Amino acid sequence: MEAAGFHGCVLAGTPLPVPLDDGEVVYRILPTVDLVEATARHLPGLPVPDGTLAGCLDPAEGPLPAGLRVIASGAAVVTDRRVAFTGPGVGREWPLPTLRGLGHHPGRPVTLLHGTDGGAPAGLRVPAPGAANARFYLTLAHADATGTRTVVVEDVEALWS
């Protein structure tokens, strides 16, 4: 039901780690995340844009995959328009409509947000116990922003069955 019907929520009066624009709605608040960045643009073994949830729902804690480094720790907000990270002295935004896609690492709780600028991918590492939930809302928000929600609904139904 969430995949088919959730379209964000307005959190009037709720303090958020990043300010929202007029009319922007929240899909998920990620209070504890690491901002990660690839050390190069093309590295073997890093997740590529996929747009599905299949095969990556239960990642484990552990070291970062080779080729990734932590830039900062902080919080992130996933909205209907963007993913926004904020940490001590560091901010980063990914407008959802301009992303080539999300790449969920199958073994670690890392999601890379692949931009169209051709630069090295960056993304978020979340605590493993909340990774499936974070990946669901990241994927759903991106699908809404790019008009591909039906793919996510079908993916969730396939996983459920």
Side-chain angles (χ1 to χ4, degrees):
M1 289 180 63
E2 195 86 352
F6 182 77
H7 292 281
C9 58
V10 177
L11 300 172
T14 303
L16 295 172
V18 296
L20 298 180
D21 294 332
D22 288 340
E24 191 171 16
V25 295
V26 174
Y27 275 60
R28 184 76 170 90
I29 299 168
L30 304 170
T32 306
V33 298
D34 291 325
L35 172 63
V36 298
E37 184 176 78
T39 57
R41 195 168 52 172
H42 300 291
L43 293 169
L46 290 183
V48 296
D50 184 355
T52 70
L53 297 168
C56 59
L57 293 179
D58 294 314
E61 292 291 354
L64 277 175
L68 291 179
R69 63 182 176 183
V70 173
I71 302 299
S73 296
V77 177
V78 180
T79 76
D80 61 329
R81 299 177 190 170
R82 61 192 167 130
V83 177
F85 170 87
T86 185
V90 179
R92 181 83 186 257
E93 271 193 26
W94 295 270
L96 291 170
T98 65
L99 290 178
R100 286 186 317 147
L102 310 177
H104 303 300
H105 193 279
R108 295 290 181 256
V110 172
T111 296
L112 295 180
L113 298 108
H114 294 269
T116 56
D117 63 0
L124 304 173
R125 176 173 64 176
V126 301
N133 183 277
R135 288 175 171 186
F136 171 76
Y137 286 103
L138 282 163
T139 302
L140 188 64
H142 181 257
D144 268 353
T146 58
T148 59
R149 179 183 277 259
T150 56
V151 173
V152 175
V153 172
E154 291 167 0
D155 195 30
V156 169
E157 288 173 355
L159 290 168
W160 181 252
S161 63

